Amino acid sequence: MNTKTSSVAGAVPVGAMLREWRIVRRLSQLDLALQADISSRHLSYVETGKAQPSREMIARLCESLEVPLRHRNELLMAGGFAPRYAETGLGAPRLAQMRYAVEAMLAQQEPYPAFLLNRHWDIVMANQAAQRLNRFMLGGRDSRHANMLRMIFDPDDLRPAFANWEELAGNLLRHLHNEVAASPTDGKAKALLDEMLAYPGVPLHWRHRELESAPAPVLTTTFARHGVRLGFFSTITTFGTPRDVTLDELHVESCFPLDEETAAFCRQLR
């Protein structure tokens, strides 16, 4: 049974929102209709507001469009339905097992850095190795930020410690441009992009999304600080088939040494 909620006056119609997601995914009405197993005529009626989609129809279109769970809830509410996916704090009893698993992953990565990040690059958790390395690079103090991108872009934070800052920052900014393009209703991601572009020394051409240039598949970081040069590559772990908004938006970034010198330094750093 469908559960209807009262619609908000002045809100964007669900059909217009679905059309925006379709355009972002670069699908024609026919392409999406075939994927969702509906007629292109009915999809056209939904997008123009001539037909009101059911809860099941919205869910089917969201699946075909690979819409993140947070935005699926937004589409359901725009259609007059209750949200489907819960957003549970990581400290809640319901996610106790998942928190235990994340903590185990971070601890297992010692003596190399690892972070739990959300969709806006906020550092939700970090292992001791990450904290030790950051303090070393910052001369014994903690970072002024709890956001990975701010740490990297801020000239008064970690930015001077990166020997390959332009390569690293440019690659991360391509990721952020793609995230903004892929989630057209995510105002916080757009604000974060504008904030990064406003930092001094950011090349002008980074302000435009490079459609022909995809982010590097492996992120490499090189530090040069206090006479020490360290190199890492990173891997990203996401949670498969999440049914909770929180888990859908989290990922673990694990750093591995590029050479034995870096590995030895991490083992000795206290």
Side-chain angles (χ1 to χ4, degrees):
M1 181 176 68
N2 291 335
T3 304
K4 282 277 188 177
T5 63
S6 58
S7 58
V8 179
V12 178
V14 63
M17 294 172 68
L18 286 167
R19 179 178 182 275
E20 188 173 12
W21 278 103
R22 177 178 62 77
I23 292 172
V24 164
R25 295 295 187 251
R26 299 185 180 182
L27 292 173
S28 67
Q29 283 187 342
L30 180 59
D31 291 333
L32 179 56
L34 289 172
Q35 288 187 25
D37 194 25
I38 62 175
S39 72
S40 57
R41 182 179 182 181
H42 184 53
L43 176 59
S44 176
Y45 281 1
V46 167
E47 289 189 352
T48 57
K50 293 180 180 178
Q52 183 68 16
S54 66
R55 181 181 178 90
E56 292 72 22
M57 176 65 70
I58 294 173
R60 190 188 305 176
L61 291 170
C62 284
E63 191 68 27
S64 297
L65 290 166
E66 298 180 350
V67 176
L69 300 191
R70 177 180 299 278
H71 302 300
R72 295 189 190 198
N73 280 346
E74 291 175 356
L75 285 161
L76 285 168
M77 289 188 289
F81 303 102
R84 178 178 180 182
Y85 302 98
E87 183 174 3
T88 310
L90 197 57
R94 181 184 174 193
L95 294 185
Q97 290 181 322
M98 185 57 65
R99 183 180 178 89
Y100 173 81
V102 170
E103 290 173 343
M105 292 171 67
L106 297 181
Q108 188 176 23
Q109 189 62 18
E110 295 280 351
Y112 312 125
F115 307 86
L116 179 67
L117 305 173
N118 66 16
R119 65 190 176 121
H120 296 128
W121 302 81
D122 297 317
I123 300 173
V124 180
M125 297 170 63
N127 65 2
Q128 292 296 314
Q131 297 174 36
R132 290 194 300 268
L133 183 63
N134 279 10
R135 286 181 186 137
F136 174 80
M137 294 297 165
L138 291 170
R141 65 180 174 89
D142 288 321
S143 172
R144 68 202 306 187
H145 301 296
N147 179 279
M148 183 72 73
L149 290 181
R150 293 188 178 102
M151 286 181 177
I152 292 171
F153 277 79
D154 187 348
D156 295 322
D157 208 87
L158 277 176
R159 177 169 163 176
F162 294 106
N164 66 331
W165 181 80
E166 283 212 12
E167 175 190 354
L168 172 66
N171 194 57
L172 291 175
L173 211 58
R174 282 191 288 274
H175 276 289
L176 187 53
H177 268 296
N178 290 343
E179 289 174 13
V180 169
S183 298
T185 61
D186 190 344
K188 190 172 180 179
K190 179 61 169 62
L192 185 62
L193 175 61
D194 292 340
E195 182 184 345
M196 296 307 103
L197 291 171
Y199 275 113
V202 173
L204 288 176
H205 69 270
W206 286 6
R207 300 181 182 280
H208 307 286
R209 185 182 177 211
E210 299 178 16
L211 296 176
E212 306 301 323
S213 179
V218 178
L219 187 63
T220 301
T221 304
T222 306
F223 291 100
R225 199 73 161 168
H226 310 305
V228 176
R229 192 174 183 89
L230 306 173
F232 297 92
F233 71 92
S234 300
T235 63
I236 301 296
T237 302
T238 58
F239 302 98
T241 60
R243 310 309 294 173
D244 188 280
V245 173
T246 298
L247 297 182
D248 188 46
E249 296 178 348
L250 293 175
H251 68 269
V252 175
E253 181 170 340
S254 303
C255 303
F256 295 88
L258 282 172
D259 49 55
E260 179 53 35
E261 290 77 14
T262 298
F265 181 86
C266 290
R267 290 193 296 266
Q268 296 167 8
L269 185 62
R270 290 293 182 268

